[in-house]
Amino acid sequence: MDFNVINEYIPLYKNALLLTLKIGWQGILVSLFIGLIGSAILYFRIKILKTFIGIYIEIFRNTPLLVQLFFIYFALPKIGIVLSAEVCGTLGLGLLGGAYMIETIRSGLESIPVIQRESAASLGLNEMQSLWHVILPQAISVSVPGLLANVIFLLKETSVFSTISLMDLMFTAKDLIGMYAKTIEALFLLVVFYLIMLLPISILGTILERRMRYGQFGD
Amino acid sequence: MSELLKVTHLQKAYGDNVVLKDINLSVKQGEVVVIIGPSGCGKSTFLRCLNGLEKIQGGEIAIDGSPVEAESRDISKIRQKIGMVFQSYELFPHKNVIDNLLLAPVKVQKRDKEEVKEEAQKLLAKVGLAGKEEFFPRQLSGGQKQRVAIVRALLMHPEIILFDEVTAALDPEMVQEVLHTMLKLAKSGSTMIIVTHEMAFARAIADRIVFFDEGEIIEETREVEQFFEKPKTDRARRFLRTFTFSKSEID
């Protein structure tokens, strides 16, 4: 392994990491937004919308992100919708993540005993107030490990962004290998930078999970 | 005294299983009604019907003249008039005591936060919980949690408060502190409907006893002492006997 090469490559990877993080977090924010709305629809069992959410979840969980991205990046322009690669990445990740976030938040919502909802109702809270002030905060804290697992999964999925020519980590590695054939150095840095991005989140997840297991709520 | 709650021909069923058959009851302002009866007789379900937690299959419930309908748009408004205290407290575990207390008055009734806070602190002091404002429910004993739950219901200024076996999950010494709080409330003129298995307490607090069995009101009387000494119906007599042990039975 040539450390001079590695030194030379590091700034390139740093830029790629920043781009990956930027689009990654944008996508995750979109997915959380979709997750909140979607899980609320399932929680309230709103007719018709509930069916749409079900179909959406099945489609996005059962097709690869690569296919979804191709669809957004290459097929949408054919019907006149042209989006930049960045927007495509954010949207693709957000839509995929949304499907997972809905399920994670919904299972959290369902884990809160019905009588808590009744307790809120007895105080005159309407369904929306009850969800927002009483059920959701408890559900989110139950869902934290699942949500963090989703975040890690989504950040890893950003590796397919390279296919729509976003200069993310994967793109940078492939590009460097193609140009200079320093395969080992390029792949080594690729692994290191993914770990730099994901290990802290993973550790945070473990800590939070352990704290929750000892029940900060325990009644 | 005016009629506050009026229940006429109330019927409740889960599918084919009829839980309440033709219940009629009216409660006047300031009255303390205690409902007793064997487990599964429908008394808790009856309470839950009164604030619309259960959909009813027949009859009418009216509080202060307005109908209580589980699926009506106004149900949240009506529920503000009816306080409810649960057996399992049902405080919100992610909020501390004061936030549990403030949530509904501030968010639902849009009252001034500081004013409600002041009232909350006064009430907490009254039930012996001064200084517990910042505690989380998990840091309180069962009896303390139940007293917080009572204060939470009171802060909404309800016209009537329902108590659903509020001491059933508590240790004996904690039962005393909760019952004491309720006795004070009754003395201050609150209208209350209480479901309980504490017969001595029922006797002490009730203006009226309603005895339920198999989804029906079997006996209803304002002669509380009389009821406990010499109930009119055979079923009530048998029920009351289950609370005493005679030596001959053990031998």
Side-chain angles (χ1 to χ4, degrees):
Chain A
M1 200 147 47
D2 187 340
F3 283 95
N4 289 330
V5 175
I6 288 184
N7 261 337
E8 241 172 78
Y9 283 2
I10 282 179
L12 295 172
Y13 276 89
K14 227 163 78 186
N15 288 339
L17 178 70
L18 290 177
L19 181 79
T20 306
L21 277 177
K22 182 180 165 212
I23 301 177
W25 284 112
Q26 284 172 1
I28 286 161
L29 281 181
V30 172
S31 75
L32 279 173
F33 182 72
I34 295 175
L36 280 176
I37 306 278
S39 59
I41 288 170
L42 295 183
Y43 178 75
F44 289 133
R45 301 198 166 83
I46 302 172
K47 279 175 204 149
I48 307 173
L49 284 179
K50 189 183 73 178
T51 314
F52 273 114
I53 295 292
I55 295 170
Y56 159 71
I57 291 175
E58 291 310 324
I59 290 177
F60 280 86
R61 288 216 307 188
N62 294 306
T63 52
L65 178 59
L66 185 60
V67 174
Q68 295 163 19
L69 275 184
F70 270 33
F71 203 86
I72 296 170
Y73 192 66
F74 296 114
L76 286 187
K78 303 279 180 219
I79 55 166
I81 304 171
V82 184
L83 302 168
S84 74
E86 254 195 65
V87 173
C88 284
T90 301
L91 198 62
L93 201 65
L95 286 170
L96 171 75
Y100 283 86
M101 294 296 187
I102 290 174
E103 286 290 21
T104 308
I105 299 174
R106 182 194 58 88
S107 71
L109 290 173
E110 280 176 7
S111 75
I112 307 305
V114 178
I115 195 164
Q116 278 279 308
R117 201 171 163 177
E118 294 176 345
S119 172
S122 300
L123 286 164
L125 275 75
N126 62 32
E127 288 280 20
M128 206 53 218
Q129 291 169 324
S130 154
L131 177 65
W132 189 251
H133 295 293
V134 176
I135 306 300
L136 192 62
Q138 297 183 58
I140 292 288
S141 86
V142 172
S143 306
V144 161
L147 292 173
L148 280 176
N150 287 350
V151 165
I152 293 174
F153 160 74
L154 290 173
L155 286 175
K156 283 194 292 191
E157 285 294 300
T158 57
S159 59
V160 306
F161 284 171
S162 56
T163 57
I164 57 168
S165 57
L166 272 171
M167 291 171 66
D168 74 326
L169 288 169
M170 193 69 199
F171 185 95
T172 306
K174 279 202 280 192
D175 206 29
L176 289 172
I177 293 170
M179 283 194 291
Y180 308 109
K182 299 277 184 196
T183 312
I184 294 185
E185 289 80 359
L187 289 181
F188 172 73
L189 282 173
L190 183 62
V191 171
V192 168
F193 271 83
Y194 268 114
L195 287 178
I196 289 175
M197 177 163 71
L198 295 172
L199 265 184
I201 305 172
S202 183
I203 292 168
L204 176 72
T206 314
I207 294 171
L208 283 176
E209 200 169 346
R210 196 177 302 149
R211 271 182 51 180
M212 297 215 351
R213 203 173 304 142
Y214 296 117
Q216 76 259 52
F217 282 172
D219 206 7
Chain B
M1 282 198 290
S2 60
E3 211 162 68
L4 191 58
L5 175 79
K6 195 170 170 60
V7 178
T8 39
H9 303 300
L10 170 64
Q11 280 183 47
K12 167 75 196 168
Y14 296 103
D16 292 335
N17 179 20
V18 180
V19 192
L20 296 171
K21 321 165 190 168
D22 195 37
I23 305 283
N24 295 284
L25 184 76
S26 26
V27 178
K28 289 176 184 161
Q29 189 133 31
E31 201 174 11
V32 177
V33 175
V34 175
I35 302 175
I36 58 174
S39 298
C41 69
K43 50 195 193 308
S44 284
T45 308
F46 176 64
L47 275 198
R48 292 166 54 84
C49 290
L50 293 184
N51 76 345
L53 288 179
E54 298 285 345
K55 220 175 123 183
I56 60 176
Q57 275 68 46
E60 272 165 25
I61 302 167
I63 175 128
D64 227 2
S66 23
V68 179
E69 288 161 348
E71 281 170 351
S72 107
R73 279 182 160 271
D74 294 330
I75 188 68
S76 299
K77 237 181 232 160
I78 304 254
R79 280 181 179 138
Q80 294 174 40
K81 298 184 181 184
I82 314 168
M84 175 113 174
V85 185
F86 295 86
Q87 177 179 338
S88 45
Y89 339 115
E90 299 312 323
L91 297 177
F92 306 132
H94 59 296
K95 291 183 179 293
N96 63 19
V97 168
I98 196 74
D99 288 339
N100 261 281
L101 297 179
L102 294 183
L103 177 63
V106 173
K107 297 288 176 197
V108 178
Q109 294 180 325
K110 313 281 178 214
R111 277 154 61 194
D112 177 61
K113 194 174 169 182
E114 289 309 313
E115 170 216 308
V116 183
K117 203 168 179 176
E118 209 170 293
E119 191 186 346
Q121 279 162 339
K122 268 186 208 155
L123 282 171
L124 282 175
K126 256 192 189 167
V127 301
L129 292 175
K132 300 280 187 199
E133 287 84 355
E134 305 296 324
F135 281 53
F136 278 86
R138 65 175 184 277
Q139 298 168 301
L140 302 175
S141 72
Q144 290 173 326
K145 275 188 268 201
Q146 198 56 293
R147 281 179 283 158
V148 173
I150 293 172
V151 170
R152 188 173 66 171
L154 286 177
L155 271 175
M156 294 295 285
H157 302 156
E159 296 183 24
I160 186 165
I161 313 177
L162 314 176
F163 294 86
D164 187 10
E165 296 194 35
V166 295
T167 58
L170 300 177
D171 293 337
E173 54 284 26
M174 294 176 184
V175 168
Q176 285 308 316
E177 53 191 46
V178 171
L179 296 185
H180 194 72
T181 303
M182 289 166 70
L183 272 169
K184 271 205 257 178
L185 258 182
K187 270 197 192 136
S188 71
S190 300
T191 313
M192 302 157 80
I193 302 182
I194 302 167
V195 166
T196 186
H197 282 297
E198 303 281 340
M199 290 305 133
F201 169 65
R203 200 167 173 165
I205 200 172
D207 294 323
R208 182 150 49 123
I209 290 281
V210 176
F211 174 64
F212 265 61
D213 196 12
E214 291 175 354
E216 287 176 293
I217 295 180
I218 304 295
E219 199 169 334
E220 183 190 342
T221 177
R222 287 199 164 80
E223 307 289 330
V224 175
E225 286 302 314
Q226 176 94 31
F227 174 83
F228 284 100
E229 292 302 328
K230 245 189 190 167
K232 288 196 187 84
T233 60
D234 198 38
R235 269 201 266 182
R237 200 169 308 133
R238 263 184 287 143
F239 172 72
L240 288 174
R241 209 180 294 147
T242 59
F243 289 90
T244 55
F245 293 97
S246 77
K247 210 165 177 225
S248 61
E249 272 175 53
I250 298 164
D251 295 339

Short mmCIF file of all heavy atoms in Angstrom, two decimals, chain A residues 176-208:
data_model
loop_
_atom_site.label_atom_id
_atom_site.label_comp_id
_atom_site.label_asym_id
_atom_site.label_seq_id
_atom_site.Cartn_x
_atom_site.Cartn_y
_atom_site.Cartn_z
N LEU A 176 -11.21 6.74 -9.17
CA LEU A 176 -9.76 6.68 -8.94
C LEU A 176 -9.18 5.37 -9.44
O LEU A 176 -8.09 5.35 -10.02
CB LEU A 176 -9.46 6.89 -7.45
CG LEU A 176 -9.69 8.32 -6.94
CD1 LEU A 176 -9.55 8.37 -5.43
CD2 LEU A 176 -8.70 9.29 -7.60
N ILE A 177 -9.91 4.29 -9.18
CA ILE A 177 -9.42 2.98 -9.65
C ILE A 177 -9.33 2.99 -11.16
O ILE A 177 -8.33 2.56 -11.76
CB ILE A 177 -10.34 1.84 -9.16
CG1 ILE A 177 -10.26 1.71 -7.65
CG2 ILE A 177 -9.95 0.51 -9.83
CD1 ILE A 177 -11.29 0.80 -7.05
N GLY A 178 -10.37 3.53 -11.80
CA GLY A 178 -10.40 3.59 -13.26
C GLY A 178 -9.25 4.40 -13.83
O GLY A 178 -8.63 4.02 -14.82
N MET A 179 -8.92 5.51 -13.13
CA MET A 179 -7.92 6.41 -13.68
C MET A 179 -6.49 5.97 -13.37
O MET A 179 -5.62 5.98 -14.22
CB MET A 179 -8.13 7.84 -13.17
CG MET A 179 -9.29 8.53 -13.90
SD MET A 179 -9.29 10.30 -13.60
CE MET A 179 -9.74 10.36 -11.89
N TYR A 180 -6.27 5.57 -12.10
CA TYR A 180 -4.88 5.31 -11.70
C TYR A 180 -4.59 3.86 -11.32
O TYR A 180 -3.46 3.54 -10.98
CB TYR A 180 -4.49 6.23 -10.54
CG TYR A 180 -4.78 7.68 -10.82
CD1 TYR A 180 -5.80 8.33 -10.16
CD2 TYR A 180 -4.04 8.39 -11.78
CE1 TYR A 180 -6.09 9.66 -10.42
CE2 TYR A 180 -4.33 9.72 -12.05
CZ TYR A 180 -5.34 10.35 -11.37
OH TYR A 180 -5.63 11.64 -11.64
N ALA A 181 -5.63 3.03 -11.31
CA ALA A 181 -5.45 1.61 -10.99
C ALA A 181 -4.78 1.36 -9.64
O ALA A 181 -4.12 0.36 -9.44
CB ALA A 181 -4.67 0.90 -12.09
N LYS A 182 -4.94 2.31 -8.71
CA LYS A 182 -4.43 2.07 -7.34
C LYS A 182 -5.58 1.46 -6.54
O LYS A 182 -6.13 2.07 -5.61
CB LYS A 182 -3.98 3.38 -6.69
CG LYS A 182 -2.85 4.07 -7.43
CD LYS A 182 -1.53 3.46 -7.03
CE LYS A 182 -0.38 4.23 -7.70
NZ LYS A 182 0.88 3.47 -7.66
N THR A 183 -5.90 0.25 -6.91
CA THR A 183 -7.12 -0.38 -6.39
C THR A 183 -7.12 -0.50 -4.87
O THR A 183 -8.08 -0.12 -4.20
CB THR A 183 -7.28 -1.78 -7.00
OG1 THR A 183 -7.10 -1.65 -8.40
CG2 THR A 183 -8.65 -2.34 -6.69
N ILE A 184 -6.04 -1.04 -4.32
CA ILE A 184 -6.02 -1.31 -2.88
C ILE A 184 -6.18 -0.02 -2.07
O ILE A 184 -6.99 0.05 -1.15
CB ILE A 184 -4.72 -2.04 -2.49
CG1 ILE A 184 -4.75 -3.42 -3.15
CG2 ILE A 184 -4.59 -2.15 -0.98
CD1 ILE A 184 -3.60 -4.31 -2.78
N GLU A 185 -5.41 1.01 -2.45
CA GLU A 185 -5.49 2.27 -1.72
C GLU A 185 -6.90 2.86 -1.80
O GLU A 185 -7.46 3.31 -0.80
CB GLU A 185 -4.48 3.29 -2.27
CG GLU A 185 -3.04 2.98 -1.96
CD GLU A 185 -2.45 1.91 -2.89
OE1 GLU A 185 -3.17 1.40 -3.77
OE2 GLU A 185 -1.25 1.59 -2.72
N ALA A 186 -7.45 2.83 -3.00
CA ALA A 186 -8.78 3.42 -3.20
C ALA A 186 -9.84 2.68 -2.38
O ALA A 186 -10.69 3.30 -1.73
CB ALA A 186 -9.15 3.39 -4.68
N LEU A 187 -9.77 1.35 -2.38
CA LEU A 187 -10.77 0.57 -1.64
C LEU A 187 -10.57 0.70 -0.13
O LEU A 187 -11.54 0.76 0.63
CB LEU A 187 -10.71 -0.90 -2.06
CG LEU A 187 -11.23 -1.18 -3.48
CD1 LEU A 187 -11.15 -2.67 -3.79
CD2 LEU A 187 -12.66 -0.68 -3.65
N PHE A 188 -9.30 0.76 0.27
CA PHE A 188 -9.01 0.93 1.69
C PHE A 188 -9.65 2.23 2.21
O PHE A 188 -10.35 2.24 3.22
CB PHE A 188 -7.48 0.96 1.90
CG PHE A 188 -7.06 1.33 3.29
CD1 PHE A 188 -7.21 0.42 4.33
CD2 PHE A 188 -6.52 2.58 3.56
CE1 PHE A 188 -6.82 0.76 5.62
CE2 PHE A 188 -6.14 2.93 4.85
CZ PHE A 188 -6.30 2.01 5.87
N LEU A 189 -9.42 3.29 1.48
CA LEU A 189 -10.01 4.57 1.91
C LEU A 189 -11.54 4.53 1.88
O LEU A 189 -12.20 5.12 2.72
CB LEU A 189 -9.50 5.70 1.01
CG LEU A 189 -8.09 6.18 1.36
CD1 LEU A 189 -7.61 7.18 0.32
CD2 LEU A 189 -8.07 6.80 2.75
N LEU A 190 -12.06 3.79 0.90
CA LEU A 190 -13.53 3.69 0.80
C LEU A 190 -14.10 3.09 2.10
O LEU A 190 -15.04 3.62 2.70
CB LEU A 190 -13.89 2.81 -0.39
CG LEU A 190 -15.38 2.66 -0.68
CD1 LEU A 190 -16.00 4.01 -1.01
CD2 LEU A 190 -15.62 1.68 -1.83
N VAL A 191 -13.50 1.98 2.53
CA VAL A 191 -13.95 1.32 3.76
C VAL A 191 -13.80 2.27 4.96
O VAL A 191 -14.72 2.45 5.76
CB VAL A 191 -13.17 0.02 4.01
CG1 VAL A 191 -13.49 -0.55 5.39
CG2 VAL A 191 -13.49 -1.00 2.93
N VAL A 192 -12.61 2.90 5.05
CA VAL A 192 -12.34 3.77 6.18
C VAL A 192 -13.37 4.90 6.24
O VAL A 192 -13.93 5.21 7.31
CB VAL A 192 -10.91 4.35 6.09
CG1 VAL A 192 -10.73 5.50 7.10
CG2 VAL A 192 -9.89 3.26 6.35
N PHE A 193 -13.65 5.50 5.11
CA PHE A 193 -14.58 6.63 5.14
C PHE A 193 -16.03 6.22 5.44
O PHE A 193 -16.75 6.95 6.11
CB PHE A 193 -14.47 7.44 3.83
CG PHE A 193 -13.42 8.51 3.92
CD1 PHE A 193 -12.07 8.21 3.68
CD2 PHE A 193 -13.76 9.80 4.31
CE1 PHE A 193 -11.10 9.19 3.80
CE2 PHE A 193 -12.78 10.78 4.43
CZ PHE A 193 -11.45 10.49 4.17
N TYR A 194 -16.42 5.05 4.96
CA TYR A 194 -17.76 4.58 5.35
C TYR A 194 -17.83 4.36 6.86
O TYR A 194 -18.81 4.70 7.52
CB TYR A 194 -18.15 3.29 4.61
CG TYR A 194 -18.90 3.59 3.33
CD1 TYR A 194 -18.37 3.29 2.08
CD2 TYR A 194 -20.15 4.21 3.37
CE1 TYR A 194 -19.05 3.59 0.91
CE2 TYR A 194 -20.84 4.51 2.21
CZ TYR A 194 -20.29 4.21 0.98
OH TYR A 194 -20.97 4.52 -0.16
N LEU A 195 -16.72 3.81 7.40
CA LEU A 195 -16.72 3.58 8.85
C LEU A 195 -16.75 4.90 9.63
O LEU A 195 -17.44 5.03 10.63
CB LEU A 195 -15.49 2.75 9.25
CG LEU A 195 -15.55 1.29 8.84
CD1 LEU A 195 -14.27 0.56 9.25
CD2 LEU A 195 -16.77 0.59 9.46
N ILE A 196 -15.98 5.89 9.13
CA ILE A 196 -15.98 7.20 9.79
C ILE A 196 -17.41 7.75 9.84
O ILE A 196 -17.85 8.34 10.83
CB ILE A 196 -15.06 8.19 9.02
CG1 ILE A 196 -13.60 7.80 9.23
CG2 ILE A 196 -15.31 9.63 9.50
CD1 ILE A 196 -12.64 8.64 8.41
N MET A 197 -18.14 7.53 8.76
CA MET A 197 -19.50 8.06 8.68
C MET A 197 -20.46 7.28 9.59
O MET A 197 -21.30 7.85 10.28
CB MET A 197 -19.98 8.00 7.23
CG MET A 197 -21.41 8.45 7.03
SD MET A 197 -21.77 8.82 5.31
CE MET A 197 -21.76 7.20 4.57
N LEU A 198 -20.32 5.95 9.61
CA LEU A 198 -21.38 5.14 10.21
C LEU A 198 -21.11 4.65 11.62
O LEU A 198 -22.04 4.47 12.40
CB LEU A 198 -21.67 3.94 9.30
CG LEU A 198 -22.25 4.36 7.95
CD1 LEU A 198 -22.34 3.16 7.02
CD2 LEU A 198 -23.61 5.00 8.12
N LEU A 199 -19.82 4.45 11.97
CA LEU A 199 -19.54 3.91 13.30
C LEU A 199 -20.13 4.77 14.44
O LEU A 199 -20.74 4.24 15.36
CB LEU A 199 -18.03 3.73 13.51
CG LEU A 199 -17.50 2.33 13.21
CD1 LEU A 199 -16.01 2.26 13.55
CD2 LEU A 199 -18.27 1.27 13.99
N PRO A 200 -19.95 6.11 14.38
CA PRO A 200 -20.50 6.91 15.48
C PRO A 200 -22.01 6.71 15.65
O PRO A 200 -22.49 6.61 16.78
CB PRO A 200 -20.20 8.35 15.05
CG PRO A 200 -19.06 8.25 14.10
CD PRO A 200 -19.23 6.94 13.39
N ILE A 201 -22.72 6.61 14.53
CA ILE A 201 -24.17 6.42 14.62
C ILE A 201 -24.48 5.06 15.24
O ILE A 201 -25.36 4.92 16.08
CB ILE A 201 -24.82 6.51 13.22
CG1 ILE A 201 -24.44 7.84 12.57
CG2 ILE A 201 -26.34 6.39 13.33
CD1 ILE A 201 -24.88 7.95 11.14
N SER A 202 -23.71 4.08 14.81
CA SER A 202 -23.91 2.73 15.32
C SER A 202 -23.67 2.67 16.83
O SER A 202 -24.45 2.08 17.59
CB SER A 202 -22.96 1.79 14.59
OG SER A 202 -23.18 0.47 15.01
N ILE A 203 -22.60 3.34 17.28
CA ILE A 203 -22.28 3.35 18.71
C ILE A 203 -23.37 4.09 19.48
O ILE A 203 -23.84 3.63 20.53
CB ILE A 203 -20.89 3.99 18.94
CG1 ILE A 203 -19.81 3.07 18.36
CG2 ILE A 203 -20.65 4.25 20.43
CD1 ILE A 203 -18.45 3.70 18.26
N LEU A 204 -23.77 5.22 18.93
CA LEU A 204 -24.86 5.99 19.56
C LEU A 204 -26.09 5.11 19.73
O LEU A 204 -26.74 5.10 20.78
CB LEU A 204 -25.20 7.20 18.69
CG LEU A 204 -26.37 8.07 19.16
CD1 LEU A 204 -25.98 8.85 20.39
CD2 LEU A 204 -26.81 9.01 18.05
N GLY A 205 -26.38 4.33 18.68
CA GLY A 205 -27.54 3.42 18.73
C GLY A 205 -27.42 2.42 19.86
O GLY A 205 -28.38 2.20 20.61
N THR A 206 -26.23 1.84 20.01
CA THR A 206 -26.03 0.85 21.07
C THR A 206 -26.24 1.48 22.46
O THR A 206 -26.90 0.91 23.32
CB THR A 206 -24.60 0.27 20.99
OG1 THR A 206 -24.33 -0.05 19.62
CG2 THR A 206 -24.47 -0.96 21.84
N ILE A 207 -25.68 2.68 22.62
CA ILE A 207 -25.80 3.35 23.92
C ILE A 207 -27.27 3.65 24.23
O ILE A 207 -27.78 3.35 25.32
CB ILE A 207 -24.99 4.67 23.93
CG1 ILE A 207 -23.49 4.37 23.82
CG2 ILE A 207 -25.28 5.47 25.20
CD1 ILE A 207 -22.63 5.59 23.62
N LEU A 208 -27.97 4.22 23.23
CA LEU A 208 -29.37 4.56 23.46
C LEU A 208 -30.20 3.33 23.78
O LEU A 208 -31.04 3.34 24.67
CB LEU A 208 -29.94 5.25 22.21
CG LEU A 208 -29.54 6.71 22.04
CD1 LEU A 208 -30.08 7.26 20.74
CD2 LEU A 208 -30.07 7.53 23.21
#
